[in-house]
Amino acid sequence: MDPAEREDPVAVSRLRQISLARLAQFDIIPKRDLGQNFLIDDNVLGVILGRLECRSDDVALEVGAGLGVLTAALAEAAQHVHAFEIDRSLEPALAVTLGGADNVSLHFKDILRVSLEELEPAPTVCASNLPYSVAGPFIIEALQRLPGMRRYCVMVQREVAERMAAAPGGKIYGVLSVWVQLYAEVRKVRPLSRSIFFPRPNVDSSLVVLDRLPAERLPKAEPACLRAVIQAAFGQRRKTLVNSLAAGLRITREDALGLARSLDLPADVRAERLTPGQFAQLAERLAAGA
Ligand code: SAM
């Protein structure tokens, strides 16, 4: 019999919460390697939607639909939802949670192998309970490729939230911090209790809101050039900025030194001392052939 039809009424009534109900109904064992820690606290859904300030004409993007609790809430609030899920075995459970909602496009794909700019209609808001291995790379790609996305309200590991918001000078300040802060204003909204997820994760999580900066405050440099500069700069953290740029961008040490000097940076400065704005300036000077 189709698992959707063999709902055990007793078990399900004890497990009113939708994620728990679906796990029981479909005998799903969460996959740790895919970061399957499902949301089991419906109050948090309200917090996420409240922070997202989703409008009825918004197009929402969700990464990792899982058992569909957040997807269903987004479908009620937004005009359209693009929900990505890498694990096709969750499809029957997800279909039951969504109950035939006709404004949800389900994409059973790896979000890191998708051309985000081709999504139609284009997303304007993002709400997700992001799996650890995906959070940083996805945010970096989305900020570059989805210019129409005005707000992200995402659950991430606390360590990822701290890296996004880190100030220059510290150990955790790196590619993610610079990139995110060049494109968005970051707010670490609140820590999340481990008990809102099943299975309970071994690490802490935070809710983070990113608001895209207005066009006039965005970096002027080509994103590809900017990214190459930032990645090269942090490529070898123990080296000086000049040596890292020379190695990572395959330019001469003299040219790298010229770039640093054009910003009045000392020859022995390290990447973690530069502000996001200084990285943008470096990329502009590089593109201009300084
Ligand atoms: N949104 C659901 C919730 O809050 O209960 C599930 C969140 S769970 C933390 C993360 C989900 O992302 C899992 O269902 C997992 O299978 C999915 N996932 C993991 N890697 C992915 C990837 N590269 N692309 C799309 N989905 C992915």
Side-chain angles (χ1 to χ4, degrees), residues 19 34-39 62-71 84-87 90 109-112 129-131 133-134 155:
S19 298
L34 292 180
Q36 290 183 351
N37 299 99
F38 299 109
L39 190 58
E62 184 191 10
V63 177
L67 303 165
V69 279
L70 181 54
T71 327
F84 282 84
E85 176 51 62
I86 201 170
D87 183 358
L90 300 180
K109 289 180 180 162
D110 179 345
I111 192 67
L112 300 179
N129 174 8
L130 289 171
S133 59
V134 167
M155 289 177 267

Side-chain angles (χ1 to χ4, degrees), residues 175-256:
V175 174
L176 184 64
S177 332
V178 173
W179 193 260
V180 166
Q181 292 169 36
L182 279 173
Y183 283 90
E185 192 181 316
V186 188
R187 273 177 291 141
K188 277 191 287 175
V189 174
R190 57 184 257 182
L192 297 167
S193 163
R194 296 184 190 192
S195 65
I196 67 166
F197 302 106
F198 181 85
R200 199 182 157 99
N202 299 326
V203 291
D204 290 324
S205 301
S206 296
L207 188 62
V208 175
V209 171
L210 306 179
D211 279 326
R212 190 172 183 87
L213 293 174
E216 64 275 12
R217 287 178 58 197
L218 292 176
K220 309 224 170 353
E222 268 295 302
C225 174
L226 187 54
R227 216 160 143 171
V229 166
I230 301 168
Q231 274 166 349
F234 286 103
Q236 290 154 303
R237 284 189 85 109
R238 275 185 291 175
K239 285 192 175 176
T240 62
L241 173 75
V242 168
N243 287 342
S244 299
L245 288 179
L249 296 175
R250 295 173 192 217
I251 57 177
T252 64
R253 195 176 179 284
E254 285 62 42
D255 285 347

Side-chain angles (χ1 to χ4, degrees), residues 27 55-57 59 67 69 72 100 108 131 145 149-150 167 170 177 183 204-205 207 216 219 246 257 281 285:
D27 295 327
R55 302 190 299 241
S56 57
D57 60 347
V59 176
L67 303 165
V69 279
F108 286 98
R145 302 188 190 286
M149 188 85 91
R150 69 166 194 283
S177 332
Y183 283 90
D204 290 324
S205 301
L207 188 62
E216 64 275 12
L257 194 56
Q281 285 177 320
R285 302 281 159 93

Side-chain angles (χ1 to χ4, degrees), residues 2-8 12 18-29 67 89-97:
D2 182 339
E5 292 165 25
R6 64 173 161 85
E7 188 168 277
D8 171 349
V12 173
I18 288 181
S19 298
L20 293 173
R22 294 293 167 263
L23 288 169
Q25 185 183 355
F26 290 88
D27 295 327
I28 294 167
I29 297 172
L67 303 165
S89 75
L90 300 180
E91 187 171 9
L94 196 46
V96 172
T97 307

